[in-house]
């Protein structure tokens, strides 16, 4: 269909949170931008688009391991595409690349200044200087995330390689540096997405966007920074603090030998505990009478860790995630009590930046809106965010159900005759998926807000000839025994994990004696959960739509289209009431509403894709969500751990 500004289903009235810069969608000239870099106007903007400038994401990117000596390398770099994977064998050392690009950004986004298609092979370059005061230290080059494979060159030398589009990595560049002149940094990126027979973790990305699959993100899409550290330095902190005050910590170091680390816990400027223990192995100590972390009271404690001359700052929250029987029904427990987890399916997409939000302010805005409505959880859907996202959830008090980015959907390609072709990982690709699942858990398991890991979504990339989810679930529990595991969110469920997870649109079927295939019947031995439902939408006028005709043509694939905002809120109210019934009558322990915002050809968000139109009747939604919690509280008579 062709939409115009006078489209009959136009929805132009927003309520609730005030948006910055809401006066129109046209980009304003930003005088701070360099002459060579120019933002390309995307199919849709946000209120933050023209505020990004040329120094994006100035915040320290790794809040759980912060160092005082660091240098942000974000800003305008140089870029040019490459023809093939073989290009990495002939790096363009000492050459100026063809175009300016904003880092961090997705090459396919307007914010990048490139807005390319099929960015399979790419070169990025910049130069940097190193403070003479860092001479004698280890200089560490950090990347928040590069999609998908990155080869890093410093001053003409191959310094490192990394595979995996969602994970941070560090390259020790000390031996390649010059302290008396600029240093050349060159990065080659290969991002196949779903090209050919590649089967890699991609989430919702596709080279052929259509409805629920979106424009891909290629390149350096999270922050890049340098930091100085002693030769024996802290590389990672595995930190957990439970409801009984027990702190469990592993201080990983760059040296093989064991040394002594000192851990100090602070609250409101006061030291509450200090303990010493060996590096590279877990040790415990206790904080007496801690203030517990929960969505209602997101209490956090600062943590300082010293190892020789190295000192880093971190934080933690005291809470325990478990499962147990409450009045004979399996329930998720937070700090020993049944918590009804209710949140949105959160895709983490932005029309101006795609995977990269235009700013931290913009990213947090989405979370604040959810919190305002009364949601206590967010399901981060087959995408992994910057560490600052999880810090915001920790601070706001939002539980996080974290998905592993999925492999390709089961039927994601058509042959010459137009028939669907099933593409599943081969043995090597499955091993790589498992490795990256390990990386996800290890990198993010210290954030207090994360309560559940999801291995597979709706069977996407899930091998059915055997049941790999059992071994993967065991592996996740081994790496992180402090959280629950939703092995198969929706569809192909063989009984693994902690959840009996139903997906159904639009009505819920949560822990109930009825279900629709391909979801499975409720399994009373596990937690009854509505992993997805809702998905209803209203169409909007073109100024709030992703202005791409192929995407517009798929709007009618939305699960339900309501013709007015009033009808949309009425239907939402009825669906939430239905879920409330299932909480009162059956074994429903939580749910995920689809979704936080519209995305490209989907118009079923609480907000439009540009965040300028808010569909929700705030008071109605607040009352309906509170009714869910009240119904769950009425079913709580005492928990028995299992």
């Amino acid at each position: 269909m062709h939409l115009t500004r006078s489209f009959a289903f136009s929805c132009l009235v927003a309520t609730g949170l005030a948006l910055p810069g809401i006066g129109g969608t046209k980009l304003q000239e930003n005088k701070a931008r360099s002459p060579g870099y120019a933002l390309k106007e995307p199919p849709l903007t946000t209120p933050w688009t023209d505020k990004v400038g040329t120094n994006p994401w100035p915040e320290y990117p790794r809040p759980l391991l912060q160092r005082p000596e660091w240098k942000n390398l974000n800003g305008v770099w140089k870029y040019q595409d490459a023809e093939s994977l073989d290009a990495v064998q002939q790096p363009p050392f000492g050459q100026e690349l063809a175009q300016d690009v904003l880092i961090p950004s997705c090459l396919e986004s307007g914010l990048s200044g490139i807005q390319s298609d099929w960015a399979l092979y790419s070169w990025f370059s910049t130069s940097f200087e190193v403070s003479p005061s860092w001479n004698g230290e280890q200089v560490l080059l950090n990347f928040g995330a590069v999609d998908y494979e990155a080869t890093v060159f410093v001053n003409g030398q191959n310094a490192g390689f990394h595979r995996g589009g969602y994970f941070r990595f560090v390259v020790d560049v000390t031996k390649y540096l010059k302290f008396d002149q600029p240093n050349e940094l060159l990065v080659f990126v290969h991002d196949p997405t779903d090209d050919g027979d590649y089967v890699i973790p991609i989430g919702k990305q596709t080279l052929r966007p259509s409805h629920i699959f979106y424009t891909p993100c290629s390149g350096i899409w999270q922050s890049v920074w340098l930091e100085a550290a002693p030769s024996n330095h802290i590389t990672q902190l595995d930190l957990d603090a439970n409801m009984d005050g027990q702190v469990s910590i592993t201080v990983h170091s760059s040296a093989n030998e064991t040394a002594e680390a000192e851990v100090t816990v602070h609250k409101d400027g006061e030291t509450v505990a200090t303990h010493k223990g060996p590096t590279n192995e877990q040790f415990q100590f206790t904080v007496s009478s801690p203030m517990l972390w929960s969505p209602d009271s997101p209490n956090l404690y600062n943590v300082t860790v010293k190892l020789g001359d190295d000192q880093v700052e971190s934080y933690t929250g005291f809470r325990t995630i478990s499962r147990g029987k409450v009045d004979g029904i399996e329930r998720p427990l937070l700090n020993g009590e049944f918590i009804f987890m209710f949140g949105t399916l959160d895709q983490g997409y932005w029309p101006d930046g795609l995977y990269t939000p235009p700013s931290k302010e913009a990213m947090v805005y989405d979370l604040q809106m959810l919190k305002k409505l009364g949601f206590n959880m967010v399901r981060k859907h087959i995408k992994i965010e910057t560490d600052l996202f999880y810090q915001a959830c920790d601070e706001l008090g939002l539980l996080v159900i974290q998905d592993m980015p999925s492999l390709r959907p089961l039927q994601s390609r058509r042959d010459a005759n137009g028939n669907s072709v099933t593409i599943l990982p081969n043995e090597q690709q499955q091993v790589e998926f498992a490795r990256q699942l390990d990386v996800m858990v290890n990198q993010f398991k210290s954030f207090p807000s994360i309560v559940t890991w999801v291995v597979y979504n709706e069977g996407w990339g899930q091998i059915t000839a055997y049941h790999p989810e059992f071994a993967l679930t065991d592996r996740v529990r081994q790496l992180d025994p402090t959280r629950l595991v939703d092995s198969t969110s929706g569809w192909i469920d063989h009984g693994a994990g902690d959840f009996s997870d139903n997906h159904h649109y639009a009505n819920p079927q949560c822990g109930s004696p009825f279900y629709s295939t391909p979801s499975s019947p409720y399994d009373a031995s596990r937690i009854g959960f509505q992993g997805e439902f809702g998905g209803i939408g209203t169409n909007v006028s073109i100024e709030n739509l992703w202005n791409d005709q192929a995407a517009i043509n798929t709007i009618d694939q939305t699960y339900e289209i309501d013709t007015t905002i009033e009808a949309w809120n009425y239907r939402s109210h009825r669906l939430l009431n239905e879920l409330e019934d299932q909480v009162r009558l059956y074994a429903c322990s939580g749910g995920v509403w689809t979704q936080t915002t519209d995305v490209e050809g989907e118009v079923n968000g609480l907000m439009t894709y540009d965040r300028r139109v808010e569909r929700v009747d705030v008071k109605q939604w607040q009352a309906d969500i509170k009714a869910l919690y009240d119904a769950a509280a009425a079913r709580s008579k005492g928990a028995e751990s299992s």
Side-chain angles (χ1 to χ4, degrees), residues 367-515:
L367 300 176
Q368 290 172 329
M369 191 273 280
L370 298 179
K371 190 73 177 179
K372 182 191 75 169
L373 292 176
F375 291 101
N376 65 6
M377 178 268 287
V378 62
R379 179 183 171 197
K380 179 44 61 179
H381 190 40
I382 52 181
K383 181 197 177 190
I384 297 171
E385 296 284 359
T386 170
D387 287 15
L388 297 174
F389 174 92
Y390 303 98
Q391 181 188 34
C393 292
D394 292 340
E395 293 172 346
L396 289 170
L398 275 172
L399 306 170
V400 178
I401 294 177
Q402 178 61 55
D403 292 10
M404 174 64 189
S406 62
L407 302 170
R408 296 171 73 150
L410 288 175
Q411 295 179 325
S412 60
R413 194 179 68 184
R414 293 189 179 275
D415 61 19
N417 297 318
N419 299 314
S420 293
V421 177
T422 298
I423 301 176
L424 289 172
N426 59 31
E427 182 178 353
Q428 182 180 2
Q429 292 163 340
Q430 181 67 19
V431 168
E432 178 61 20
F433 175 78
R435 184 193 71 82
Q436 292 191 32
L437 177 64
D438 283 6
V439 174
M440 178 185 75
V441 174
N442 280 325
Q443 281 201 4
F444 295 93
K445 65 183 179 182
S446 294
F447 286 101
S449 55
I450 298 177
V451 294
T452 298
W453 303 112
V454 177
V455 179
Y456 286 113
N457 175 73
E458 294 188 348
W460 297 352
Q462 181 182 350
I463 298 171
T464 54
Y466 62 98
H467 304 158
E469 63 269 23
F470 283 94
L472 293 174
T473 298
D474 290 344
R475 177 61 178 162
V476 170
R477 285 174 170 160
Q478 179 184 6
L479 293 172
D480 179 15
T482 70
R483 289 181 174 85
L484 303 178
V485 183
D486 190 345
S487 305
T488 54
S489 185
W491 298 14
I492 305 176
D493 182 7
H494 302 110
D498 295 303
F499 292 84
S500 178
D501 186 332
N502 177 287
H503 289 191
H504 190 254
Y505 290 102
N507 306 70
Q509 300 175 339
C510 183
S512 65
F514 46 85
Y515 71 100

Side-chain angles (χ1 to χ4, degrees), residues 151-196:
T151 306
V152 180
F153 301 89
V154 177
N155 291 328
Q157 300 295 312
N158 190 327
F161 172 82
H162 181 264
R163 175 181 291 125
Y166 297 91
F167 310 110
R168 65 179 180 269
F169 63 98
V170 59
V171 180
D172 187 337
V173 297
T174 311
K175 64 183 179 181
Y176 309 111
L177 293 180
K178 301 172 184 177
F179 285 87
D180 57 349
Q181 57 186 287
N183 294 271
E184 181 190 50
L185 172 58
L186 191 64
V187 183
F188 180 78
V189 177
H190 172 215
D191 183 21
T193 311
D194 55 353
D195 182 41

Side-chain angles (χ1 to χ4, degrees), residues 28 47 88 91 119 148 150 211 227 252 271 294 336 342 383 431 469 471 475 491 503 636:
Q28 303 298 315
V88 74
Y148 170 71
H211 194 46
E227 59 189 355
H252 298 270
T271 298
S294 73
F342 190 61
K383 181 197 177 190
V431 168
E469 63 269 23
R475 177 61 178 162
W491 298 14
H503 289 191
S636 302

